[in-house]
Amino acid sequence: TEAEVRLHHLQSLTAAGVDAYPAATPAHTTIESLTDLPVDTEVTIVGRIIAKRLMGKLCFAKLSDATGQFQVAFSEKELGAET
């Protein structure tokens, strides 16, 4: 079930030492302000993944925060197969 999948993901994060529900987040960038930044600027976004599409060795995800939505692409070539 969906609940079991989510619980498994939570347990995986916890086992890896990641706090899935941190009390605070570091300084972050809003989605609305992304268009003002130079390409290849490293940012932290606080929001939700509201959609994902797997297309072979490429994955698209739509991120959402209080200021808007943004689509990102992840490539197996750049990230590696284990991610």
Side-chain angles (χ1 to χ4, degrees):
T1 68
E2 180 70 22
E4 291 169 335
V5 170
R6 289 177 184 230
L7 181 59
H8 175 72
H9 285 201
L10 177 60
Q11 291 169 340
S12 298
L13 288 172
T14 303
V18 175
D19 183 1
Y21 305 104
T25 58
H28 61 276
T29 304
T30 63
I31 288 177
E32 182 179 55
S33 66
L34 288 177
T35 56
D36 300 332
L37 300 174
V39 174
D40 292 334
T41 301
E42 187 173 313
V43 298
T44 300
I45 296 176
V46 177
R48 302 206 181 271
I49 297 175
I50 58 170
K52 70 176 182 178
R53 293 182 305 284
L54 300 174
M55 310 193 92
K57 297 183 179 188
L58 192 62
C59 175
F60 293 95
K62 185 183 281 189
L63 308 177
S64 176
D65 73 3
T67 66
Q69 296 181 355
F70 192 78
Q71 180 174 281
V72 294
F74 302 98
S75 167
E76 183 180 302
K77 180 179 177 183
E78 293 181 20
L79 298 176
E82 66 279 354
T83 57

PDB file of all heavy atoms in Angstrom, residues 18-28 44-47:
ATOM      1  N   VAL A  18      19.268  10.785   8.277  1.00  0.00           N
ATOM      2  CA  VAL A  18      18.606  12.004   7.805  1.00  0.00           C
ATOM      3  C   VAL A  18      17.375  12.268   8.666  1.00  0.00           C
ATOM      4  O   VAL A  18      16.574  11.366   8.900  1.00  0.00           O
ATOM      5  CB  VAL A  18      18.186  11.866   6.324  1.00  0.00           C
ATOM      6  CG1 VAL A  18      17.391  13.079   5.868  1.00  0.00           C
ATOM      7  CG2 VAL A  18      19.401  11.634   5.454  1.00  0.00           C
ATOM      8  N   ASP A  19      17.249  13.494   9.151  1.00  0.00           N
ATOM      9  CA  ASP A  19      16.058  13.882   9.906  1.00  0.00           C
ATOM     10  C   ASP A  19      14.963  14.233   8.896  1.00  0.00           C
ATOM     11  O   ASP A  19      15.037  15.251   8.221  1.00  0.00           O
ATOM     12  CB  ASP A  19      16.362  15.075  10.807  1.00  0.00           C
ATOM     13  CG  ASP A  19      15.178  15.471  11.676  1.00  0.00           C
ATOM     14  OD1 ASP A  19      14.124  14.812  11.594  1.00  0.00           O
ATOM     15  OD2 ASP A  19      15.317  16.445  12.429  1.00  0.00           O
ATOM     16  N   ALA A  20      13.963  13.387   8.783  1.00  0.00           N
ATOM     17  CA  ALA A  20      12.899  13.587   7.789  1.00  0.00           C
ATOM     18  C   ALA A  20      11.998  14.768   8.143  1.00  0.00           C
ATOM     19  O   ALA A  20      11.343  15.328   7.268  1.00  0.00           O
ATOM     20  CB  ALA A  20      12.062  12.323   7.665  1.00  0.00           C
ATOM     21  N   TYR A  21      11.971  15.148   9.391  1.00  0.00           N
ATOM     22  CA  TYR A  21      11.112  16.249   9.840  1.00  0.00           C
ATOM     23  C   TYR A  21      11.931  17.212  10.692  1.00  0.00           C
ATOM     24  O   TYR A  21      11.713  17.327  11.902  1.00  0.00           O
ATOM     25  CB  TYR A  21       9.914  15.711  10.637  1.00  0.00           C
ATOM     26  CG  TYR A  21       9.120  14.680   9.878  1.00  0.00           C
ATOM     27  CD1 TYR A  21       9.226  13.333  10.182  1.00  0.00           C
ATOM     28  CD2 TYR A  21       8.275  15.057   8.843  1.00  0.00           C
ATOM     29  CE1 TYR A  21       8.500  12.384   9.479  1.00  0.00           C
ATOM     30  CE2 TYR A  21       7.550  14.118   8.138  1.00  0.00           C
ATOM     31  CZ  TYR A  21       7.667  12.784   8.467  1.00  0.00           C
ATOM     32  OH  TYR A  21       6.961  11.847   7.781  1.00  0.00           O
ATOM     33  N   PRO A  22      12.873  17.950  10.085  1.00  0.00           N
ATOM     34  CA  PRO A  22      13.716  18.849  10.872  1.00  0.00           C
ATOM     35  C   PRO A  22      12.895  19.990  11.485  1.00  0.00           C
ATOM     36  O   PRO A  22      11.930  20.459  10.888  1.00  0.00           O
ATOM     37  CB  PRO A  22      14.719  19.388   9.859  1.00  0.00           C
ATOM     38  CG  PRO A  22      14.035  19.252   8.540  1.00  0.00           C
ATOM     39  CD  PRO A  22      13.161  18.030   8.656  1.00  0.00           C
ATOM     40  N   ALA A  23      13.308  20.421  12.674  1.00  0.00           N
ATOM     41  CA  ALA A  23      12.605  21.505  13.355  1.00  0.00           C
ATOM     42  C   ALA A  23      12.882  22.847  12.693  1.00  0.00           C
ATOM     43  O   ALA A  23      12.088  23.770  12.786  1.00  0.00           O
ATOM     44  CB  ALA A  23      13.021  21.545  14.819  1.00  0.00           C
ATOM     45  N   ALA A  24      14.014  22.960  12.017  1.00  0.00           N
ATOM     46  CA  ALA A  24      14.378  24.211  11.350  1.00  0.00           C
ATOM     47  C   ALA A  24      15.096  23.886  10.046  1.00  0.00           C
ATOM     48  O   ALA A  24      15.637  22.796   9.879  1.00  0.00           O
ATOM     49  CB  ALA A  24      15.284  25.039  12.244  1.00  0.00           C
ATOM     50  N   THR A  25      15.071  24.812   9.136  1.00  0.00           N
ATOM     51  CA  THR A  25      15.773  24.635   7.871  1.00  0.00           C
ATOM     52  C   THR A  25      16.773  25.758   7.692  1.00  0.00           C
ATOM     53  O   THR A  25      16.579  26.862   8.198  1.00  0.00           O
ATOM     54  CB  THR A  25      14.792  24.652   6.679  1.00  0.00           C
ATOM     55  OG1 THR A  25      14.093  25.886   6.696  1.00  0.00           O
ATOM     56  CG2 THR A  25      13.808  23.515   6.745  1.00  0.00           C
ATOM     57  N   PRO A  26      17.863  25.475   6.958  1.00  0.00           N
ATOM     58  CA  PRO A  26      18.826  26.546   6.703  1.00  0.00           C
ATOM     59  C   PRO A  26      18.211  27.598   5.775  1.00  0.00           C
ATOM     60  O   PRO A  26      17.126  27.388   5.226  1.00  0.00           O
ATOM     61  CB  PRO A  26      19.989  25.826   6.021  1.00  0.00           C
ATOM     62  CG  PRO A  26      19.378  24.598   5.433  1.00  0.00           C
ATOM     63  CD  PRO A  26      18.235  24.229   6.341  1.00  0.00           C
ATOM     64  N   ALA A  27      18.901  28.686   5.606  1.00  0.00           N
ATOM     65  CA  ALA A  27      18.418  29.727   4.681  1.00  0.00           C
ATOM     66  C   ALA A  27      18.119  29.079   3.335  1.00  0.00           C
ATOM     67  O   ALA A  27      18.860  28.218   2.866  1.00  0.00           O
ATOM     68  CB  ALA A  27      19.470  30.806   4.524  1.00  0.00           C
ATOM     69  N   HIS A  28      17.026  29.478   2.729  1.00  0.00           N
ATOM     70  CA  HIS A  28      16.625  28.854   1.479  1.00  0.00           C
ATOM     71  C   HIS A  28      16.136  29.898   0.479  1.00  0.00           C
ATOM     72  O   HIS A  28      15.866  31.034   0.822  1.00  0.00           O
ATOM     73  CB  HIS A  28      15.563  27.782   1.718  1.00  0.00           C
ATOM     74  CG  HIS A  28      14.306  28.309   2.324  1.00  0.00           C
ATOM     75  ND1 HIS A  28      14.164  28.493   3.675  1.00  0.00           N
ATOM     76  CD2 HIS A  28      13.139  28.710   1.770  1.00  0.00           C
ATOM     77  CE1 HIS A  28      12.958  28.976   3.922  1.00  0.00           C
ATOM     78  NE2 HIS A  28      12.314  29.119   2.779  1.00  0.00           N
ATOM     79  N   THR A  44      18.948  25.953  -2.016  1.00  0.00           N
ATOM     80  CA  THR A  44      18.149  25.071  -1.180  1.00  0.00           C
ATOM     81  C   THR A  44      16.716  25.562  -1.274  1.00  0.00           C
ATOM     82  O   THR A  44      16.451  26.750  -1.075  1.00  0.00           O
ATOM     83  CB  THR A  44      18.613  25.122   0.285  1.00  0.00           C
ATOM     84  OG1 THR A  44      19.968  24.702   0.355  1.00  0.00           O
ATOM     85  CG2 THR A  44      17.765  24.223   1.167  1.00  0.00           C
ATOM     86  N   ILE A  45      15.795  24.653  -1.591  1.00  0.00           N
ATOM     87  CA  ILE A  45      14.379  25.003  -1.701  1.00  0.00           C
ATOM     88  C   ILE A  45      13.609  24.194  -0.668  1.00  0.00           C
ATOM     89  O   ILE A  45      13.830  22.994  -0.520  1.00  0.00           O
ATOM     90  CB  ILE A  45      13.839  24.706  -3.116  1.00  0.00           C
ATOM     91  CG1 ILE A  45      14.550  25.589  -4.132  1.00  0.00           C
ATOM     92  CG2 ILE A  45      12.335  24.913  -3.176  1.00  0.00           C
ATOM     93  CD1 ILE A  45      14.173  25.306  -5.544  1.00  0.00           C
ATOM     94  N   VAL A  46      12.717  24.858   0.042  1.00  0.00           N
ATOM     95  CA  VAL A  46      11.861  24.184   1.008  1.00  0.00           C
ATOM     96  C   VAL A  46      10.463  24.130   0.401  1.00  0.00           C
ATOM     97  O   VAL A  46       9.852  25.152   0.146  1.00  0.00           O
ATOM     98  CB  VAL A  46      11.845  24.948   2.348  1.00  0.00           C
ATOM     99  CG1 VAL A  46      10.888  24.290   3.324  1.00  0.00           C
ATOM    100  CG2 VAL A  46      13.242  25.013   2.937  1.00  0.00           C
ATOM    101  N   GLY A  47       9.994  22.923   0.130  1.00  0.00           N
ATOM    102  CA  GLY A  47       8.682  22.763  -0.487  1.00  0.00           C
ATOM    103  C   GLY A  47       8.343  21.297  -0.632  1.00  0.00           C
ATOM    104  O   GLY A  47       8.826  20.464   0.134  1.00  0.00           O
TER     105      GLY A  47
END
